[in-house]
Amino acid sequence: MTQTAVQSWSLGLTLHLVLAVALHQGFATVAPPTVAPTTAAPHKDPSSPERGNYVVSNNGTVCLLASMGLQLNISFSSLSQNKTVQEVVNIQPNATNSSGSCKSDIATLRLTTDAQKTNLTFSFTLNTTSNKYHLSSVSLSAAWPDMKDPVSVRNNSLDYLRGSLGFSYMCREKQTLDVVQTVSINIVQVQVQPFGLTGSQFGAAEECQLDEDDMLIPIIVGAALAGLVVIVLLAYLIGRKRSHAGYQTI
Ligand SMILES: *[C@@H]1O[C@H](CO)[C@@H](O)[C@H](O)[C@H]1NC(C)=O
Ligand SMILES: *[C@@H]1O[C@H](CO)[C@@H](O)[C@H](O)[C@H]1NC(C)=O
Ligand SMILES: *[C@@H]1O[C@H](CO)[C@@H](O)[C@H](O)[C@H]1NC(C)=O
Ligand SMILES: *[C@@H]1O[C@H](CO)[C@@H](O)[C@H](O)[C@H]1NC(C)=O
Ligand SMILES: *[C@@H]1O[C@H](CO)[C@@H](O)[C@H](O)[C@H]1NC(C)=O
Ligand SMILES: *[C@@H]1O[C@H](CO)[C@@H](O)[C@H](O)[C@H]1NC(C)=O
Ligand SMILES: *[C@@H]1O[C@H](CO)[C@@H](O)[C@H](O)[C@H]1NC(C)=O
Ligand SMILES: *[C@@H]1O[C@H](CO)[C@@H](O)[C@H](O)[C@H]1NC(C)=O
């Protein structure tokens, strides 16, 4: 009698231990991706950029919609420090104007910040055969007070933010768009649709691979935990049934 009771008790304890360990490991696995963005910034880099909503209209009709946070990462020759410096600067949505143009297979979003010190242009190309679009070109010109010479760069052979005609492209995770060696753009919480808008709302969203990968971890951990709970519960119930007589007499 006592032996089965002890067995049952130790099985119950094992259940708690296994669950505790599993939960602990589960959270330990899930935690890093959510913590990473805040620890990624070295020295005095600004915080995550604020999300801005940008619209391009063609003859009164909205033809491009973009909602995103933008951060420029530029290296330039500094006047005050007399050397090349690396600066990370957020685009402030409330100090930024958007304009642009839309043609059948190319759509352009042009952002101009305070007093035209920074002009940033994104061009999207639509492949009318495959009905897929992508960000194909980025140009940046900047004339900041501390720049020895204005920066002006362009890359017309990019392939970022790929989506399908009629859908918007969406990505919550931060992405880095490498433009040229001295200029990259960090883009966060992006939703963009450069073609095939009906009305002034985004079409259905196509989520980026990064987000799907990110979702996969909690799903796997959750499924594994659920499976484990079922197995342990079954084992516990079977153990209880076996020792049922033992409990009755206590
Ligand atoms: C702009 O829209 C007006 C009215 O909707 C139309 O008459 C005109 O042809 C359009 N212009 C162009 C360039 O599409
Ligand atoms: C800016 O770019 C430099 C050089 O490519 C890189 O080392 C640094 O991590 C970038 N900083 C941010 C905040 O993206
Ligand atoms: C800037 O640095 C260069 C060499 O690194 C030096 O020759 C020049 O005198 C410096 N100019 C100023 C204004 O400090
Ligand atoms: C823009 O927003 C920032 C923070 O949200 C605020 O500090 C700043 O005063 C705003 N600037 C303007 C011109 O509204
Ligand atoms: C945005 O456009 C408005 C009207 O054209 C202008 O008054 C304002 O200064 C512009 N802002 C920026 C940041 O260029
Ligand atoms: C458009 O897509 C088709 C099919 O994927 C591909 O064969 C073609 O090279 C693409 N055209 C351009 C200009 O990229
Ligand atoms: C941005 O564009 C405006 C209008 O085309 C121009 O006047 C200004 O000089 C440009 N700024 C830079 C930094 O190139
Ligand atoms: C433009 O971007 C492509 C793809 O990222 C890269 O291979 C190429 O070196 C870039 N061009 C320049 C001039 O940096």
Side-chain angles (χ1 to χ4, degrees), residues 95-97 112-116:
T96 303
N97 280 349
T112 301
T113 70
D114 54 289
Q116 306 189 322

Side-chain angles (χ1 to χ4, degrees), residues 92-98 111-119:
Q92 298 292 345
N94 62 0
T96 303
N97 280 349
S98 59
L111 301 179
T112 301
T113 70
D114 54 289
Q116 306 189 322
K117 287 202 281 282
T118 310
N119 293 327

Side-chain angles (χ1 to χ4, degrees), residues 206-226:
E206 282 181 343
E207 197 121 353
C208 65
Q209 192 64 45
L210 282 168
D211 285 357
E212 282 173 14
D213 292 349
D214 221 38
M215 285 299 290
L216 218 56
I217 298 165
I219 289 171
I220 291 172
V221 170
L225 270 179

Side-chain angles (χ1 to χ4, degrees), residues 22-227:
L23 282 171
H24 181 76
Q25 284 187 339
F27 287 127
T29 319
V30 175
T34 54
V35 175
T38 50
T39 53
H43 49 269
K44 56 175 177 65
D45 284 351
S47 53
S48 189
E50 203 180 313
R51 201 174 187 207
N53 296 306
Y54 308 109
V55 179
V56 177
S57 298
N58 194 10
N59 198 13
T61 313
V62 173
C63 62
L64 183 154
L65 274 180
S67 179
M68 57 195 169
L70 294 167
Q71 191 176 61
L72 305 176
N73 187 346
I74 312 185
S75 88
F76 62 87
S77 180
S78 160
L79 273 178
S80 62
Q81 296 178 55
N82 193 20
K83 62 170 187 181
T84 300
V85 295
Q86 186 91 35
E87 284 232 350
V88 178
V89 175
N90 288 345
I91 299 277
Q92 298 292 345
N94 62 0
T96 303
N97 280 349
S98 59
S99 59
S101 64
C102 302
K103 297 188 197 112
S104 61
D105 61 353
I106 184 149
T108 300
L109 170 66
R110 183 183 159 90
L111 301 179
T112 301
T113 70
D114 54 289
Q116 306 189 322
K117 287 202 281 282
T118 310
N119 293 327
L120 179 61
T121 305
F122 297 95
S123 296
F124 294 86
T125 305
L126 176 69
N127 181 330
T128 47
T129 312
S130 61
N131 280 342
K132 303 273 189 200
Y133 61 81
H134 68 276
L135 175 64
S136 53
S137 167
V138 170
S139 76
L140 172 84
S141 59
W144 299 348
D146 193 36
M147 285 177 170
K148 199 172 266 172
D149 304 301
V151 166
S152 181
V153 301
R154 168 186 291 273
N155 191 331
N156 288 336
S157 52
L158 301 176
D159 188 11
Y160 294 116
L161 317 184
R162 287 190 292 268
S164 306
L165 182 62
F167 293 86
S168 58
Y169 170 91
M170 186 160 104
C171 204
R172 278 178 256 271
E173 288 282 292
K174 172 176 135 177
Q175 293 180 81
T176 298
L177 315 180
D178 291 313
V179 181
V180 294
Q181 211 196 337
T182 53
V183 174
S184 65
I185 299 170
N186 294 324
I187 181 165
V188 297
Q189 293 195 305
V190 57
Q191 185 169 17
V192 63
Q193 186 168 352
F195 299 100
L197 278 156
T198 51
S200 53
Q201 300 283 315
F202 282 115
E206 282 181 343
E207 197 121 353
C208 65
Q209 192 64 45
L210 282 168
D211 285 357
E212 282 173 14
D213 292 349
D214 221 38
M215 285 299 290
L216 218 56
I217 298 165
I219 289 171
I220 291 172
V221 170
L225 270 179

Side-chain angles (χ1 to χ4, degrees), residues 228-250:
L228 201 66
V229 166
V230 168
I231 290 168
V232 172
L233 262 179
L234 274 179
Y236 178 69
L237 288 177
I238 290 166
R240 241 176 92 96
K241 204 168 183 184
R242 282 214 187 118
S243 61
H244 204 230
Y247 276 117
Q248 289 277 4
T249 52
I250 286 172

